[in-house]
């Protein structure tokens, strides 16, 4: 534990800590471009120069390890002059096309220019070296070589994390640029991360390109709903529309990366949404008020249970639901409807692609949670069998996915049930067949927790109000239960989670506070 | 001629009065009250009591009902908060009693027999004025006291803090 | 035209003649009748400017209706950087950016709407524009329209001014 | 000039309608209006008989009745407003307590 | 007796007076706007044109009328539909009715029959005037209440209180005239003003009742809701007052009522205080000046002079409304009420008292 002093603040840091990391721990920000906590250290941008006592020259903070008695200063005039010089050098050939650059607003060059630069360019625009702009280099990435400051983060990412190495430096001197090898485009499932790690606008996202200026976006901490890995993400939105998902650092789950499939998950929250409660009487869908829709559903369930016994009612839960919602669904099924026929399925249509890094075969964020909360895959099989036998009169179904059945199969299966109520976010085969459609919020419009495949319970938070008249799943379930005569007193997901942690052994002792932003593993999990 | 006009205005007066009593909203009642008062004023004119007819309109329609409407607006009870009128036994009894009263007045009216007077314009401004300031001067002066006390009473009652 | 402030001494106590009002009202009537007769006799001297036919010359820095500038080839100079929309205190500018077919331009406004009903004519958009693409030098007041929709100026209208 | 019999009958009818209003309605405002109708009925009788007899006394009495009516309306409505400020109602059945 | 002739005369009288008043109303709307403009150094209405002629904007009343006719006639949500539609009629009807008793000329004899140039010469003349004009308040109150909106309600309350308050002093201020001319018939009052006062002045109401005139004029302005007493309207606090929720023809009915009120008010003032149809020093046979000089004038010319005199006086008072409006700033509401009850009422009572004293002790048989 060497003791050292930085800007007059004394501290002790673990052995082998670099000055930059140590300063970061203390809360002093040292400007840097090439340094990235999850990549190897290159030390080629020279932005992180600091003055270290007894060293004749300035040292780069990212690659100088703290030693006993070291005295570091990052706030001297000498440092400032050096950093300004480095920045000016980087900007010499920069095209300064911020108005059309997507990075504007979260750009390292802009930020440090405002902090250290503010100089006039000594180079005329005509004299600048022009490189190729707008290059589609495959994956989700557009390359603008002119804006590059040659920090090599992308090169290192492709060598060290994906180990595919598609990019490299080419040319020399002020003509040097990054690019792919001719004709060999990016070919891995993690290309989106390049846009994140690029400190400038050289690598930008094809998907997010020109959609929105970043300063309009608000962010909320969330969990990727794309697979059971449960990557920590930040959801960026503006005015009720999700614009992009970015990974959030969680060393226990996804470090700071996420896959390209997960990045596109936001589209599901924007497209073909169910917006109003719909009652389908005699085959004709009619928009209804929430009260009507819930009242009708509750009535039909009670009717079925009274006339044909509780066995004629079934609940099919969804692994897309949060732990809280699954808990309430289970409670509704077993305590109020008193049925034995309930279950869920984690199977989805598609090939279930997986790799050994972040992508998991189970494409549902909360299959583990559903199992821990008492839903079982066999239950789904039982329910499907009972439905096809015509024993089920009223069915409550969450989501649009019924295993890997095709749309036609779903339709013929559900046509055997006289009343289907669906709680779902997007339009699909089930919602088209349902007699009562209860639209629910997307993952960015509600809060809750998912349990990932490793049994880690992680929170996702509400970003904005549900679109249209869509309702929060918890409110829908509570409303349904109240109309079925239950006396539920839940107010928001936190109160449900409290009840859940008291009721379930796996979740015992957990609270939203103890979950924090990184989550906690369930009892008995890895 | 007088009979036709009498029937016309009498019918208006009675119809208006019935409407006053049966309307749910006091504003409607007040407007029908004006109608009744006008009809009564017309009846006065029919009986050559021109002064009283004018006074009827000025005082009643011009002031008293305006006061009523003023209060209706001031109080402004929304339509659904108006008192619920229910038919009860006591009320029915009251209506029956009123009916009997009318019947009785009809019987009494038929017995009315007095010789007709000579002066034709007993209701003109001059005649009423002369009577008012000679024979009935004291009563007239006392009326002013009554009105004064009513004014003071009204102000005292309606004041927010006494 | 100079604007002077004339201090009028207000007497603490009105004189008897003044508190009667009648005389003062007469004086006032005389003043207004003086104006009335003078204006009838000297009809031409009434300082009204009859607007659509006669117009005041606008000062050089007058901020009128917006216009969008063009490049020599006729395409809008705007690159849809959203700077004006960001600077706008009234949030009256709506831009939808798109990929330009010209790689030298890269980004261009698919839509560029200004809601003239919301605009407060502060000129912040002109200040903010990095490309000198928006100006308010038309010298025009926003002309009246009969629907609100017509007062949302689309890019075509803004370019042709 | 007609005999006053018909007028007297009309007077009785108006008075009777007024009585019905006073007895049967709950709305204080309408009750006060019904009182006005009763007074008007009386006036009709006064005027009819007065003109029949050719005597201005009928008009004088009607005049006095009007004065009373005006005074009654003023005071009655003042009371109504005072009560409304306290009880927020114009329902006479709710004004049965003697003290509040 | 030819009943047909009587009916024809009655209809003719009504038609003439109607045409006069309504014509004046139309002209007044233009005069009001143009006068306002010239007083304020503006140009005023000058756009409406027919065949390229603007003629100083005289076509604007026509344009206004057309516009009112074609505007959307709507009833606001929650308004009491029946009362809402009744209110403009309640406002307009009394205003029209008041004109019935104003004489616009001396009785003329045609074909051996004497015809009063007056729609109805009631023997309760002035009382009728007050009775009917007292009804005008219902239009205001009903409009304010039935619109189901707070500003009209407040405006209605305000203006009804104002109208009732000023009705009192209005009635009392005219009492002196009744005492002097010993009649409530307007025709007799007009006739009485043809005499001379002390052999010099015409015996007009304004000379025998100067205080009564000022009070009556003030009360008239307050009754007609004209500046400086136009409290029912007020952009800053009540917007348009009781007729805020009205549009189209219903609104124009309120406007018409206001202008008819003005016109009839002007006619009444000139009848009560300025001799009505009397032309100064003009007797039936011709001019008879105080110095004993007399000029003979043919009977037809006398009649024309007299009717012209009435029209001229009425026009002057109509103009006075406009003139005063752009001269005197409006009162505050508490000032209006204070003026009405604490100044006008005592002064009008004093006026009656003094007039009575003068009649009793100084000038026994009337002036």
């Amino acid at each position: 534990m060497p003791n050292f002093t930085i800007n007059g603040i004394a501290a002790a840091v673990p052995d082998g800590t670099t000055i930059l990391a140590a300063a970061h721990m203390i809360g002093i920000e040292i400007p840097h471009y090439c340094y990235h906590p999850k990549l190897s250290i290159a030390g080629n941008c020279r932005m992180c120069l600091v003055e270290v006592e007894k060293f004749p020259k300035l040292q780069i903070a990212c690659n100088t390890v703290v030693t006993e008695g070291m005295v570091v200063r990052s706030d001297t005039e000498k440092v400032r002059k050096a950093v300004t010089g480095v920045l000016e050098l980087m900007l010499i050939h920069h095209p300064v096309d911020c108005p059309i650059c997507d990075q504007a607003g979260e750009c390292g060059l802009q930020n440090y220019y405002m902090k250290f630069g503010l100089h006039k360019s000594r180079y005329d625009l005509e004299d600048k070296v022009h490189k190729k702009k707008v290059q589609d280099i495959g994956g989700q990435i557009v390359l603008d070589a002119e804006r590059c400051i040659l920090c090599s983060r992308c090169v290192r990412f492709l060598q060290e994390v994906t180990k595919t190495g598609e990019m490299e430096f080419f040319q020399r001197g002020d003509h040097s640029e990054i690019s792919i090898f001719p004709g060999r485009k990016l070919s891995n499932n993690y290309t989106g991360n390049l846009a994140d790690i690029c400190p400038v606008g050289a690598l930008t996202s094809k998907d997010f390109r020109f959609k929105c200026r970043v300063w309009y976006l608000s962010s909320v901490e969330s969990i990727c709903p794309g697979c059971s890995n449960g990557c920590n993400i930040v959801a960026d939105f503006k005015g009720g529309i999700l614009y992009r998902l970015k990974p959030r650092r969680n060393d226990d789950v996804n470090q700071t990366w996420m896959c390209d499939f997960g990045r596109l998950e936001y589209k599901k929250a924007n497209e073909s949404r169910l917006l109003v409660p719909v009652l389908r009487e005699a085959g004709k869908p009619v928009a209804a008020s929430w009260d009507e829709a819930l009242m009708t559903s509750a009535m039909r369930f009670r009717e079925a249970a009274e006339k044909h016994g509780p066995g004629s009612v079934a609940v099919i839960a969804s692994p897309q639901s949060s732990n809280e919602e699954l808990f309430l669904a289970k409670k509704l099924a077993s305590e109020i409807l008193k049925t034995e026929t309930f279950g869920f399925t984690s199977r989805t249509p598609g090939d279930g692609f997986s790799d050994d890094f972040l992508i998991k075969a189970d494409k549902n964020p909360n299959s583990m949670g559903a199992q821990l909360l008492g839903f079982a895959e066999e239950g789904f099989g039982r329910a499907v069998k009972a439905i096809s036998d015509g024993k089920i009169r009223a069915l409550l179904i969450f989501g649009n996915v019924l295993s890997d059945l095709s749309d036609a199969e779903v339709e013929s299966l559900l046509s055997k049930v006289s009343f289907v109520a669906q709680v779902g976010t997007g339009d699909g085969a089930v919602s088209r067949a349902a007699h009562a459609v209860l639209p629910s919020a997307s993952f960015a419009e509600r809060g809750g927790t998912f349990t990932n495949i490793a049994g880690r319970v992680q929170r996702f938070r509400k970003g904005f109000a549900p679109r249209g008249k869509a309702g929060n799943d918890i409110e829908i379930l509570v409303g349904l239960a109240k109309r079925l005569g239950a006396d539920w007193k839940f107010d928001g997901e936190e109160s449900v989670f409290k009840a859940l942690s008291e009721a379930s052994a796996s979740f015992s002792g957990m609270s939203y506070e103890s979950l924090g932003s990184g989550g906690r593993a369930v009892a008995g999990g890895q | 001629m007088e009979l036709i006009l009498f029937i016309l205005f009498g019918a208006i007066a009675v119809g208006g009065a019935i409407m006053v009593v049966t309307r749910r909203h006091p504003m409607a009642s007040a407007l029908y009250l004006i109608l009744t008062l006008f009809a009564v004023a017309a009846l006065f004119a029919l009986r050559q009591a021109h002064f009283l007819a004018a006074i009827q309109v000025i005082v009643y329609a011009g002031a008293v009902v305006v006061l009523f409407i003023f209060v209706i607006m001031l109080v402004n009870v929304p339509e659904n908060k108006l008192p619920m009128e229910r038919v009860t036994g006591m009320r029915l009894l009251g209506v029956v009693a009123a009916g009997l009263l009318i019947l009785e007045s009809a019987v009494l009216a038929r017995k009315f027999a007095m010789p007709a007077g000579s002066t034709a314009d007993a209701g003109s401004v001059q005649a009423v004025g002369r009577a008012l300031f000679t024979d009935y001067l004291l009563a007239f002066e006392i009326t002013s006291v009554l009105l004064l006390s009513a004014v003071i009473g009204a102000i005292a009652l309606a004041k927010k803090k006494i | 035209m100079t604007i002077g402030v004339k201090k009028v001494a207000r007497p603490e106590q009105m004189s008897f003649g003044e508190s009667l009002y009648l005389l003062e009202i007469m004086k006032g009537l005389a003043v207004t009748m003086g104006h009335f007769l003078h204006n009838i006799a000297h009809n031409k001297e009434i300082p009204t400017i009859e607007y659509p036919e006669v117009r005041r010359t606008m000062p050089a820095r007058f901020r009128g209706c917006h216009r969008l500038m063009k490049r020599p080839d006729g395409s809008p100079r705007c690159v849809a950087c959203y700077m004006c929309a960001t600077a706008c205190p009234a949030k009256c500018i709506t831009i939808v950016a798109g990929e330009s077919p010209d790689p030298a331009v890269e980004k261009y406004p698919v839509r560029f709407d200004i809601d003239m009903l919301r605009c407060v004519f502060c000129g912040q958009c002109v200040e903010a524009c990095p490309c000198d693409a928006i100006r308010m030098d038309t010298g025009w007041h926003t002309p009246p329209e009969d629907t609100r929709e017509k007062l949302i100026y689309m890019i075509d209208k803004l370019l042709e001014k | 000039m007609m005999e006053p019999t018909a007028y007297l009958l009309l007077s009785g009818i108006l008075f009777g309608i007024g009585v019905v209003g006073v007895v049967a309605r709950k709305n204080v405002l309408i009750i006060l209006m019904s009182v006005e109708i009763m007074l008007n009925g009386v006036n009709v009788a006064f005027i009819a008989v007065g003109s029949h007899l050719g005597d201005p006394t009928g008009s004088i009495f009607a005049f006095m009745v009007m004065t009373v009516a005006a005074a009654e309306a003023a005071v009655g409505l003042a009371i109504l407003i005072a009560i409304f400020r306290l009880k927020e109602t114009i329902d006479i059945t709710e004004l049965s307590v003697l003290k509040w | 007796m030819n009943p047909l002739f009587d009916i024809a005369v009655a209809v003719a009288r009504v038609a003439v007076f109607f045409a006069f008043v309504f014509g004046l109303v139309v002209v007044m709307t233009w005069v009001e706007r143009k006068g306002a403009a010239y007083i304020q150094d503006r140009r005023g209405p000058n756009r409406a044109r027919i065949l390229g002629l603007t003629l100083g904007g005289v076509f604007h009343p026509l344009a206004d009328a057309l516009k009112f006719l074609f505007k959307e006639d709507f009833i606001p949500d929650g308004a009491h539909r029946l009362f809402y539609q009744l209110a403009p009629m309640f406002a307009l009807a009394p205003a029209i009715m008041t004109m019935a008793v104003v004489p616009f000329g001396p009785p003329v004899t045609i074909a051996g029959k004497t015809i009063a140039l007056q729609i109805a010469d009631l023997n309760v003349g002035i009382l009728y005037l007050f009775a009917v004009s007292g009804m005008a308040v219902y239009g205001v109150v009903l409009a304010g209440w039935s619109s189901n909106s707070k500003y009209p309600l407040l405006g209605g309350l305000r203006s009804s209180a104002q109208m009732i308050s000023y009705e009192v002093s209005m009635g009392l201020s005219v009492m002196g005239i009744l005492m002097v001319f010993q009649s409530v018939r307007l025709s007799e009052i007009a006739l009485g003003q043809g005499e001379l006062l002390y052999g010099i002045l015409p015996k007009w109401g304004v000379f025998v009742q100067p205080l009564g005139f000022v009070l009556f004029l003030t009360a008239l302005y307050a009754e007609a809701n004209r500046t400086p007493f136009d409290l029912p309207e007020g952009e800053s606090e009540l917007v348009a007052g009781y007729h805020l929720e009205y549009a189209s023809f219903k609104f124009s009915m309120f406007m018409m009522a206001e202008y008819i009120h003005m016109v009839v008010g002007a006619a009444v003032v000139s009848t009560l205080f300025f001799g009505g149809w009397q032309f100064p020093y003009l007797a039936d046979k011709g001019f008879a000046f105080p110095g004993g000089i007399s000029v003979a004038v043919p009977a037809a010319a006398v009649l024309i002079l007299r009717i012209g005199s009435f029209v001229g006086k009425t026009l002057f008072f109509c103009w006075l409304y406009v003139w005063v409006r752009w001269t005197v700033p409006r009162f505050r509401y508490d000032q209006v009420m204070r003026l009405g009850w604490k100044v006008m009422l005592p002064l009008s009572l004093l006026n009656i008292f003094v007039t009575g004293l003068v009649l009793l002790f100084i000038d026994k048989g009337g002036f």
Side-chain angles (χ1 to χ4, degrees), chain A residues 60-256:
Chain A
I60 50 169
C62 66
N63 206 15
T64 309
V65 175
V66 173
T67 54
E68 183 62 39
M70 198 179 238
V71 178
V72 183
R73 292 213 77 92
S74 72
D75 53 357
T76 59
E77 191 53 34
K78 197 172 167 190
V79 171
R80 196 181 164 81
K81 239 174 135 179
V83 171
T84 307
V86 170
L87 190 65
E88 189 180 358
L89 185 70
M90 281 174 188
L91 283 167
I92 277 181
H93 292 299
H94 191 82
V96 203
D97 54 355
C98 302
I100 56 166
C101 178
D102 265 338
Q103 193 78 5
E106 51 185 10
C107 173
L109 280 174
Q110 280 184 341
N111 294 345
Y112 290 147
Y113 176 80
M114 296 314 284
K115 211 165 164 187
F116 301 105
L118 296 174
H119 56 267
K120 285 260 180 287
S121 178
R122 290 187 237 179
Y123 237 64
D124 286 337
L125 198 62
E126 298 84 63
D127 300 337
K128 292 191 177 188
V129 176
H130 290 289
K131 295 167 191 169
K132 205 157 177 253
K133 295 172 82 76
V134 205
Q135 305 172 54
D136 181 358
I137 57 167
Q140 293 190 344
I141 297 301
V142 177
L143 166 66
D144 186 320
E146 252 180 11
R147 297 178 191 150
C148 178
I149 55 164
L150 308 173
C151 72
S152 80
R153 273 186 186 184
C154 47
V155 177
R156 277 175 285 147
F157 173 80
L158 291 172
Q159 279 166 0
E160 294 161 15
V161 180
T162 66
K163 301 192 174 64
T164 45
E166 291 98 331
M167 293 180 82
E168 198 41 273
F169 286 111
F170 297 88
Q171 311 287 12
R172 291 192 304 173
D174 56 6
H175 286 271
S176 57
E177 58 176 287
I178 51 160
S179 191
I180 50 170
F181 297 103
R184 286 181 58 192
K185 296 199 164 180
L186 294 175
S187 59
N188 62 67
N189 291 319
Y190 297 90
T191 56
N193 294 308
L194 291 172
D196 292 340
I197 59 169
C198 182
V200 297
L203 300 167
T204 50
S205 164
K206 232 186 263 175
D207 180 60
F208 182 64
R209 191 170 161 82
F210 302 160
K211 288 268 172 63
C212 185
R213 291 306 237 178
V214 294
W215 54 82
Y216 290 127
L217 295 173
S218 314
S219 301
V220 66
E221 290 188 359
S222 194
I223 301 295
C224 175
C227 79
S228 53
N229 194 53
C231 294
N232 288 215
I233 56 164
V234 165
D236 284 352
F237 60 92
K238 173 196 165 196
I241 296 172
L242 272 177
Y243 277 93
R244 63 176 180 183
L245 306 180
K246 286 176 77 175
R248 174 161 59 97
R249 186 168 170 183
N250 186 340
D251 290 349
D252 295 321
V253 182
N254 58 327
Q255 297 176 36
T256 61

Side-chain angles (χ1 to χ4, degrees), chain E residues 292-330:
Chain E
I293 313 149
S294 53
V295 182
V297 178
V302 168
L303 183 67
I304 287 166
L305 271 178
R306 282 177 164 172
I307 294 178
S309 156
F310 172 76
V311 172
K313 288 165 191 169
T314 307
L315 284 177
F316 172 76
F317 280 104
C318 285
W319 164 246
L320 192 63
Y321 280 108
V322 177
W323 192 4
V324 166
R325 176 170 179 184
W326 303 111
T327 303
V328 185
R330 63 201 299 232

Side-chain angles (χ1 to χ4, degrees), chain B residues 25 27-29 31-32 34 38 50-51 53-55 57-58 60-67 69-70 72-74 76 79 124-126, chain E residues 80 82-83 86 90 97 123-124 126-128 130-132 134-135 137-138 141-142 144-145 152-153 156-158 160-161 164 167 182 184:
Chain B
H25 202 288
M27 193 57 114
S29 291
L31 291 180
Y32 281 113
I34 302 172
F38 264 103
H50 293 121
F51 178 66
I55 293 294
V57 176
I58 294 174
Y60 261 123
V64 172
V65 182
V66 174
L67 200 62
I69 289 185
F70 209 78
I72 293 168
M73 279 166 72
L74 209 66
N76 208 8
E79 198 120 16
S124 71
V125 183
Q126 284 84 357
Chain E
H80 200 296
L82 177 68
F83 296 160
L86 271 179
F90 266 92
M97 276 161 74
N123 56 10
V124 284
I126 280 185
L127 291 179
Y128 168 85
F130 288 129
V132 174
M135 296 298 102
V137 73
Y138 285 111
V141 169
L142 220 52
W145 179 80
L153 184 72
L157 276 171
R158 254 193 196 189
S160 56
I164 295 174
E167 221 170 78
Q182 311 234 319
V184 289

Side-chain angles (χ1 to χ4, degrees), chain C residues 120-133:
Chain C
V120 293
F121 296 92
C122 63
Q124 296 280 353
C125 48
V126 181
E127 293 291 316
C129 186
C131 307
D132 189 21

Side-chain angles (χ1 to χ4, degrees), chain E residues 110-323:
Chain E
I110 296 172
K113 288 178 73 83
T114 307
I115 299 162
L117 292 184
Q118 185 178 10
I119 294 174
D121 189 10
L122 297 181
N123 56 10
V124 284
I126 280 185
L127 291 179
Y128 168 85
L129 210 64
F130 288 129
V132 174
S133 68
M135 296 298 102
V137 73
Y138 285 111
V140 174
V141 169
L142 220 52
W145 179 80
S146 66
S147 298
N148 187 37
S149 171
K150 59 184 167 184
Y151 296 124
L153 184 72
L154 289 172
L157 276 171
R158 254 193 196 189
S159 60
S160 56
Q162 175 185 323
M163 285 164 95
I164 295 174
S165 305
Y166 277 83
E167 221 170 78
V168 177
S169 29
M170 191 179 186
L172 291 176
S173 65
V174 90
M175 217 56 90
I177 288 286
L178 305 187
M179 287 159 82
V180 172
F181 295 106
Q182 311 234 319
S183 174
V184 289
R185 273 176 195 255
L186 281 160
S187 58
E188 286 175 14
I189 292 172
L191 202 63
Q193 296 185 57
E195 295 163 23
L196 287 185
L197 197 59
Y198 307 123
I200 317 164
L201 276 174
K203 193 185 172 184
W204 285 1
V206 67
F207 298 120
V208 293
Q209 288 283 321
L211 183 58
F213 165 67
V214 171
L215 293 173
F216 186 80
L217 197 69
T218 313
L220 191 68
Y221 278 39
E223 278 287 285
N225 289 329
R226 289 287 302 187
T227 330
F229 305 105
D230 60 342
L231 274 300
E233 295 178 36
E235 278 73 17
S236 51
E237 73 267 23
L238 288 176
V239 198
Y242 59 89
H243 53 53
L244 171 62
E245 301 287 353
Y246 283 85
S248 173
F249 205 71
K250 294 204 197 83
F251 174 76
S252 78
M253 277 166 88
F254 278 114
M255 288 303 281
M256 245 181 328
E258 186 184 331
Y259 279 96
I260 292 173
H261 232 103
M262 285 164 60
V263 170
V264 177
V268 169
V269 171
S270 48
T271 304
L272 288 179
F273 292 97
F274 281 82
W277 44 264
Q278 297 283 4
F279 198 91
Y281 311 116
L282 182 66
D284 288 348
K285 298 273 179 259
F287 285 105
F289 294 106
I293 313 149
S294 53
V295 182
V297 178
V302 168
L303 183 67
I304 287 166
L305 271 178
R306 282 177 164 172
I307 294 178
S309 156
F310 172 76
V311 172
K313 288 165 191 169
T314 307
L315 284 177
F316 172 76
F317 280 104
C318 285
W319 164 246
L320 192 63
Y321 280 108
V322 177
W323 192 4

Side-chain angles (χ1 to χ4, degrees), chain B residues 3-84:
Chain B
L3 186 67
I4 298 167
L5 289 175
F6 168 76
I7 291 170
L8 178 66
F9 289 117
I12 292 173
V14 171
I18 290 172
M19 292 306 242
V20 172
V21 173
T22 51
R23 288 308 88 184
R24 179 164 158 70
H25 202 288
M27 193 57 114
S29 291
L31 291 180
Y32 281 113
L33 185 60
I34 302 172
L35 192 67
T36 302
L37 296 171
F38 264 103
V40 170
L43 289 172
F44 288 177
L46 214 54
R47 291 303 277 187
Q48 304 302 325
H50 293 121
F51 178 66
L52 252 288
I55 293 294
Q56 167 95 356
V57 176
I58 294 174
V59 172
Y60 261 123
V64 172
V65 182
V66 174
L67 200 62
F68 269 106
I69 289 185
F70 209 78
V71 170
I72 293 168
M73 279 166 72
L74 209 66
V75 169
N76 208 8
V77 180
E79 198 120 16
N80 51 1
K81 293 243 181 84
L82 289 172
M84 292 294 290

Side-chain angles (χ1 to χ4, degrees), chain A residues 443-520:
Chain A
F443 72 99
E445 294 162 4
R446 65 188 213 267
T449 56
F450 287 142
T451 312
N452 78 353
I453 197 158
R456 192 178 187 82
V457 183
Q458 306 184 101
R459 272 188 78 182
F460 61 98
R461 288 158 216 255
K462 178 178 172 175
F464 45 92
R467 226 190 278 183
K469 280 191 186 167
N472 188 311
D473 300 52
I474 292 175
E475 282 165 18
I476 296 170
L477 280 162
V478 169
L480 207 55
K482 275 190 177 157
R483 283 166 179 78
L484 282 165
D487 180 30
W488 285 7
K489 287 190 183 66
F490 294 114
D491 180 29
E493 62 266 17
E494 187 153 15
S495 64
V496 181
F497 192 74
K498 202 160 161 263
L500 186 161
S501 64
E502 282 159 10
S504 165
S506 310
F507 294 88
S508 68
M510 283 186 188
S511 71
Y512 275 6
E513 221 162 72
S514 72
L515 288 182
S517 67
R520 253 177 76 182

